[in-house]
Each structure stands twice: as structure tokens, then as C-alpha cells.
Amino acid sequence: DPEVTQTPSHQVTQMGQEVILRCVPISNHLYFYWYRQILGQKVEFLVSFYNNEISEKSEIFDDQFSVERPDGSNFTLKIRSTKLEDSAMYFCASRGQVGSEAFFGQGTRLTVV
Amino acid sequence: GESVGLHLPTLSVQEGDNSIINCAYSNSASDYFIWYKQESGKGPQFIIDIRSNMDKRQGQRVTVLLNKTVKHLSLQIAATQPGDSAVYFCAENTFYNQGGKLIFGQGTELSVKP
């Protein structure tokens, strides 16, 4: 079965450092997403990406965050200067079309110390 | 603002019983709904979806019911098994939203006793 893959599975970083979370969406999908989940809480939308640009972003997705699809297969989330409150599971998802199921990766656990 | 909490609603059932998990959604314009299962340390896994032009959809051992009048979704799991233990989230989507973001509910933790 096709799947969304994310690397690394766990990232520990010092506050103020930059991190890049990587995702390989399902190959023929067109819509890409980043979500995050703070421990014990619900999954929160960060950003959607379609046709090589951001479609929508949430209030969480401030100037410290950016996304990129550099080579047609990878989809990355960059956090420029991490804060303690950025510690969470970050999930990448992709969809073939709006109105179909979104497939999620296994997540990257980001720990900011 | 949104209400968040550290304690999920919990449903505890005996193996073999039927489970019903409920969800209230927020946006009356939402027209596509999905139930996800999330096991510890893993990403959300698709279970079943339903469009707003339907009020019931059945899958293997699962049924989703949609009541648009009261903005309510339910997930019924027949003959619940220990492997069904997980957190279950409903998610809503609107077609007019070009980005297609999903808005997740709070989640319910299902615990199946053998």
C-alpha cells in the first residue's frame, strides 16, 4: 500500500535552533498538509499546500514556519527558531483530491529543550 | 478560543460488545467527514468517511451515522476487539475550501477489556 513517510521519527533540538522535518507524500497526490499534535491533545491544522504554494495556514503557522516542496517528491516543514512550545508530534498528510481521505505519516516527535 | 484539555473522553467496553463513539462538529458548511483511529505513537489512520448527502455509511464492522440537523456524527464498531483500542477522532472538511484542511475533534479513547 502507498504510504506517507516522515523523517526523522524523533528530533531533539535546543531552543532557538532551526529544524527541518521531512516528508515524502504519496506519489500521485496533489494536496499536502502539515498538522501537529501536542501530547494528549487533538490534531491541529498548520498549513495546506497545493500547486506549489500555500493554500491556507492557521494562526499557529507564523513567520517562524515555512514549507517547501523542493524537488517534486519531498515536502518539508522548517521551523526557524524553535521554542519550547513547539514540542509536539508533527504529521504530514497528503490527498489525491479535496473530498477524499487524507493519508497521514507516522509523525516526527519534536522535542525542544 | 478553542477549548483543549489534557483528558480525553474515555469509553470502556467489553470485548465482543458494540461501541458507539460520538462527535459534535462545528461548521454547518462542512460536507465531508472522516473518522480516524490513532494508536499510541502513530499517525491517524483512516477508518471510514461520509459525505453530507448521506446519513449512513457502512464498512467492515464499522458504521458512521451523520445527523446534519444537530451537527452530530457517530461511529459504531461491531463486536469490538482488543485491537480496536485507540483514540478515535472525527474530522470535518468543506469542499469550498480549496486547501481541503481537516478540522479534528477532541478525540475519544476507546479501551477494550478482554
Side-chain angles (χ1 to χ4, degrees):
Chain A
D1 289 341
E3 60 180 10
V4 176
T5 57
Q6 291 185 242
T7 54
S9 57
H10 192 186
Q11 175 89 45
V12 181
T13 189
Q14 289 201 326
M15 189 170 55
Q17 295 296 304
E18 174 183 288
V19 294
I20 298 176
L21 310 183
R22 304 182 189 279
C23 170
V24 179
I26 294 173
S27 62
N28 61 347
H29 282 185
L30 302 175
Y31 297 85
F32 313 107
Y33 309 86
W34 283 100
Y35 292 81
R36 80 169 186 192
Q37 185 178 34
I38 294 171
L39 185 63
Q41 297 186 18
K42 64 181 179 181
V43 179
E44 299 175 289
F45 169 77
L46 292 178
V47 66
S48 57
F49 192 87
Y50 169 73
N51 200 25
N52 287 320
E53 61 183 16
I54 291 174
S55 306
E56 186 174 1
K57 56 186 180 180
S58 71
E59 293 176 353
I60 303 168
F61 195 89
D62 61 21
D63 291 343
Q64 295 297 314
F65 291 85
S66 62
V67 290
E68 199 175 36
R69 188 159 159 78
D71 56 12
S73 62
N74 293 287
F75 181 50
T76 61
L77 174 70
K78 182 191 292 186
I79 309 174
R80 288 189 187 82
S81 179
T82 49
K83 304 185 284 288
L84 294 176
E85 55 263 39
D86 293 328
S87 295
M89 283 288 286
Y90 287 80
F91 293 106
C92 174
S94 69
R95 301 169 96 165
Q97 57 185 338
V98 173
S100 64
E101 66 178 281
F103 291 82
F104 283 77
Q106 294 297 296
T108 293
R109 179 174 297 283
L110 176 66
T111 303
V112 183
V113 297
Chain B
E2 294 182 344
S3 61
V4 294
L6 297 177
H7 299 286
L8 295 172
T10 300
L11 175 65
S12 184
V13 300
Q14 204 70 38
E15 181 179 358
D17 287 352
N18 297 333
S19 302
I20 299 176
I21 300 172
N22 296 303
C23 174
Y25 63 92
S26 57
N27 187 351
S28 56
S30 292
D31 44 25
Y32 177 64
F33 306 89
I34 309 175
W35 278 100
Y36 283 95
K37 172 185 180 183
Q38 187 179 28
E39 295 173 295
S40 180
K42 297 186 176 180
Q45 179 186 1
F46 172 87
I47 302 174
I48 191 167
D49 59 2
I50 188 167
R51 301 190 190 283
S52 60
N53 60 351
M54 304 173 69
D55 53 22
K56 180 179 179 178
R57 189 162 189 229
Q58 287 185 291
Q60 186 178 14
R61 279 202 309 120
V62 294
T63 300
V64 54
L65 299 178
L66 173 62
N67 185 331
K68 295 182 287 294
T69 303
V70 294
K71 294 190 287 186
H72 184 268
L73 271 173
S74 67
L75 176 71
Q76 300 176 1
I77 305 173
T80 315
Q81 303 168 359
D84 295 327
S85 294
V87 177
Y88 289 80
F89 292 97
C90 66
E92 59 185 298
N93 185 191
T94 49
F95 279 112
Y96 73 79
N97 181 316
Q98 191 63 32
K101 72 179 183 186
L102 292 171
I103 300 172
F104 282 79
Q106 189 68 23
T108 295
E109 183 171 10
L110 176 65
S111 176
V112 182
K113 295 177 288 188

